[in-house]
Amino acid sequence: MHSKPRKMVDNPHVQLNPTTQHQEQELLLQSQRFKELKAFDETKAGVKGLIDAGISKVPQIFINNNKTPHKTSPSKSPSSSAEFQIPVIDLIKVENDDGSSGGRKLIIDQVREACEEFGFFQVVNHGVPKEIIDEMIEGVRGFHEQPHDLKKEYYSRDRSRKVRYNSSFDLYESKVANWRDSMFFAMAPQPPNPKELPTPCREITFLYSSHVKKLGFTLLELLSEALGLKAKYLEEIECGKGHALISHYYPACPEPNKTMGTTEHSDPDFFTILLQDNIGGLQVLYQNQWVDVKPVEGALVINLGDLMQLISNDKFKSARHRVLAKSIGPRISIACFFNNYDESSNRIYGPIEELLSEENPPLYTETTVKGYTVYFYSKGLSTSTPPLQDFKI
Ligand code: OGA
Ligand code: NI
């Protein structure tokens, strides 16, 4: 790059014209892409709308030309972890402190290992009743499959709205759009007025939210203890104060190899509780391999977010993950982000002092949840460097 200006002085005609031509072409492509994005956005019907309209090819805005999205391995190394499964942790004896087998101590050890190694695990016997889980999935389906006229009222990219729905939250920021529609509800600390929620999932969302919040606080205790801190540590620094439910609907895709359900990313929160149906497609990056997070009957998936990696000073990992587009569907998933995204909170988060020492100096600068989230949103998912990198000292 640096040699170009010098050459241009030598022979401006040869060098300048191709560059300008290239830039013009690039600008033309960008403006064409912007028009297509805007046209899609203005339908307010999302990816589901494209399917309802009967398309048989994936439109250009969803196609990532630089990548073959379905490769299992980002490197050339052979797939050694094809049969590998992320840990499934049984929480049935989480209250059992008497040292009996499968009790709390063992659970904390399993959580520590999973958080240090993968940043991902599944939990069973987690206390969220099966009926609530099934009804939540049906409620989300009910919202996305209701008539367009009812649904479009909720379509918005205004991040101050506690209740909204759209397709690719980073549509204009990212290089490529994703094959999914999502509904966003900010449920805590200040829930929306129930009337603001769409009727197909109004009651069940509040019910699911209260159950998942309870599980969230149990997990915060386990995570605190796994870090060697007192059980209430992470709760007291308000890692569980806020949560948002993001419900995804991934329609069946006519050309699943050309696009992605969700681009590779790590979550911008402390941790996420994810409910997925039985379709599959979620993958986690482990030792440079994409590993399937296979649906386990009745289980919930837990993954750590960037803010947990930041406050734990890299002791715990926020793993990168993605969702493949599939020829079957729709796939439904409900992510509960614990991130205290409260306009009024100015709480500063940095590496936890108790975890630092001379050998373990802080690796990250301090930030607020809002500061981190706004930065994450400004980059979008298809960014070349993970946003957490930019908070490294
Ligand atoms: C997310 C996410 C995975 C899924 O919402 O951040 O990674 O299975 N979702 O939908
Ligand atoms: Ni995620």
Side-chain angles (χ1 to χ4, degrees):
M1 280 291 146
H2 290 291
S3 60
K4 278 198 175 160
R6 255 184 278 128
K7 278 191 182 169
M8 265 159 52
V9 177
D10 294 338
N11 191 343
H13 298 290
V14 177
Q15 291 296 325
L16 198 62
N17 287 342
T19 313
T20 324
Q21 244 177 29
H22 180 75
Q23 281 170 349
E24 271 176 15
Q25 237 171 23
E26 190 65 19
L27 278 174
L28 209 72
L29 276 174
Q30 274 177 23
S31 82
Q32 180 60 26
R33 177 174 171 78
F34 180 74
K35 273 190 213 144
E36 287 172 23
L37 290 172
K38 203 154 174 290
F40 168 69
D41 204 20
E42 283 173 356
T43 66
K44 302 188 177 191
V47 176
K48 170 92 169 55
L50 299 174
I51 293 294
D52 291 345
I55 61 143
S56 58
K57 287 205 169 314
V58 168
Q60 190 58 39
I61 54 168
F62 295 92
I63 298 177
N64 187 347
N65 293 318
N66 303 327
K67 279 190 186 161
T68 40
H70 282 232
K71 266 203 313 189
T72 35
S73 168
S75 71
K76 288 204 173 68
S77 58
S79 176
S80 57
S81 38
E83 287 310 308
F84 177 82
Q85 268 258 49
I86 61 156
V88 179
I89 301 178
D90 189 344
L91 297 184
I92 189 120
K93 291 190 181 168
V94 74
E95 301 298 342
N96 196 337
D97 233 347
D98 62 8
S100 62
S101 70
R104 190 175 179 91
K105 192 176 169 308
L106 176 78
I107 294 170
I108 289 166
D109 288 343
Q110 290 173 332
V111 167
R112 183 186 306 107
E113 209 182 306
C115 292
E116 288 177 355
E117 190 66 14
F118 314 104
F120 249 82
F121 54 100
Q122 307 213 43
V123 290
V124 291
N125 293 311
H126 42 62
V128 185
K130 183 173 183 319
E131 311 80 73
I132 302 278
I133 284 181
D134 292 346
E135 221 183 295
M136 186 65 202
I137 292 176
E138 288 319 305
V140 171
R141 191 189 311 280
F143 170 77
H144 286 281
E145 293 182 357
Q146 71 187 325
H148 178 227
D149 273 355
L150 296 175
K151 206 165 67 168
K152 70 173 197 275
E153 302 303 317
Y154 297 93
Y155 197 92
S156 170
R157 297 191 178 275
D158 175 357
R159 292 191 179 129
S160 68
R161 270 181 71 166
K162 283 190 175 174
V163 174
R164 59 183 191 268
Y165 127 81
N166 61 39
S167 194
S168 287
F169 73 90
D170 55 351
L171 189 70
Y172 296 104
E173 291 85 8
S174 270
K175 291 188 203 83
V176 63
N178 282 164
W179 199 258
R180 73 167 195 288
D181 300 329
S182 309
M183 184 166 60
F184 176 96
F185 302 142
M187 297 304 289
Q190 298 294 326
N193 183 330
K195 284 201 202 108
E196 289 177 51
L197 264 69
T199 45
C201 56
R202 184 177 294 165
E203 278 167 41
I204 188 61
T205 296
F206 279 91
L207 260 173
Y208 181 74
S209 169
S210 71
H211 279 282
V212 99
K213 179 176 174 183
K214 189 159 172 275
L215 173 60
F217 280 95
T218 301
L219 288 166
L220 280 179
E221 286 190 2
L222 296 173
L223 292 168
S224 300
E225 292 185 62
L227 284 169
L229 303 165
K230 64 172 181 167
K232 293 289 176 195
Y233 194 100
L234 293 174
E235 182 181 332
E236 282 171 10
I237 65 165
E238 300 184 340
C239 298
K241 192 177 170 199
H243 71 260
L245 290 176
I246 305 171
S247 304
H248 304 294
Y249 185 92
Y250 298 86
C253 182
E255 297 177 296
N257 291 328
K258 291 199 170 167
T259 185
M260 287 295 266
T262 303
T263 302
E264 171 188 343
H265 68 285
S266 51
D267 293 351
D269 59 354
F270 292 106
F271 67 106
T272 305
I273 301 179
L274 180 88
L275 163 57
Q276 63 167 337
D277 69 9
N278 57 10
I279 299 275
L282 175 62
Q283 295 186 320
V284 56
L285 193 59
Y286 176 63
Q287 294 185 344
N288 224 20
Q289 302 280 333
W290 285 109
V291 174
D292 290 331
V293 182
K294 295 201 179 89
V296 170
E297 177 72 29
L300 292 166
V301 179
I302 314 297
N303 68 280
L304 303 184
D306 293 344
L307 290 168
M308 188 63 77
Q309 181 165 335
L310 185 147
I311 63 171
S312 75
N313 209 38
D314 275 0
K315 186 162 165 56
F316 285 174
K317 301 272 173 304
S318 76
R320 298 190 69 74
H321 53 283
R322 66 181 192 181
V323 181
L324 301 180
K326 292 211 152 201
S327 57
I328 51 166
R331 172 180 185 267
I332 290 170
S333 68
I334 295 118
C336 182
F337 276 53
F338 284 83
N339 61 354
N340 185 18
Y341 190 46
D342 178 359
E343 291 296 319
S344 64
S345 175
N346 294 318
R347 186 179 268 277
I348 308 277
Y349 291 95
I352 292 172
E353 290 222 355
E354 286 83 338
L355 304 178
L356 303 177
S357 62
E358 241 172 74
E359 306 82 66
N360 235 330
L363 302 172
Y364 296 98
T365 55
E366 294 179 326
T367 180
T368 58
V369 172
K370 190 175 176 191
Y372 191 74
T373 316
V374 167
Y375 186 69
F376 180 94
Y377 276 146
S378 74
K379 294 193 86 173
L381 293 188
S382 57
T383 155
S384 49
T385 51
L388 187 60
Q389 289 297 320
D390 299 332
F391 286 74
K392 278 226 152 128
I393 289 176

